[in-house]
């Protein structure tokens, strides 16, 4: 499990670095007015994107469940308990 957690941390860090890099692209906009407006648009639209990681996690838990794993095992594998794994699967968490 420690290797899986490390692999997950590396993958998450890679994605977060890419997101930060993309957001830093706002700083490269030379016109301050355009930069401020673009940053405002990103801030407004960011809320819609926050659900994407949760949906990706829900789909992964669903795949594990379809592969025959029960929720106590899924919870253990993803670092949570069985009831939270079930709530993730149901889209409640």
């Amino acid at each position: 499990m420690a290797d899986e957690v490390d692999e997950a941390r590396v993958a998450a860090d890679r994605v977060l670095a890419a997101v930060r890099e993309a957001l830093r692209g706002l700083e490269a906009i030379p016109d301050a007015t355009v930069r401020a407006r673009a940053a405002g648009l990103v801030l407004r639209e960011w809320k819609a994107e926050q659900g994407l990681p949760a949906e990706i996690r829900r789909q992964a838990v669903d795949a594990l469940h379809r592969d025959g794993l029960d929720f106590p095992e899924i919870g253990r594998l993803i670092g949570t308990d069985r009831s939270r794994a079930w709530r993730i699967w149901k889209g409640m968490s």
Side-chain angles (χ1 to χ4, degrees), residues 17-68:
V19 169
R20 283 186 200 101
E21 178 78 19
L23 290 171
R24 290 283 179 196
L26 291 167
E27 293 174 324
I29 299 170
D31 184 295
T33 302
V34 174
R35 187 169 59 247
R37 289 182 59 212
L41 289 167
V42 169
L43 284 167
R44 274 193 297 267
E45 295 175 20
W46 188 255
K47 290 178 184 170
E49 300 304 322
Q50 288 178 341
L52 184 58
E55 179 57 23
I56 292 166
R57 180 180 62 178
R58 192 203 62 73
Q59 290 172 358
V61 168
D62 184 55
L64 292 168
H65 184 61
R66 280 186 282 115
D67 286 346

Side-chain angles (χ1 to χ4, degrees), residues 1-14:
M1 171 113 170
D3 290 337
E4 293 166 6
V5 171
D6 291 344
E7 187 176 330
R9 180 78 262 164
V10 168
D13 287 346
R14 189 177 319 119

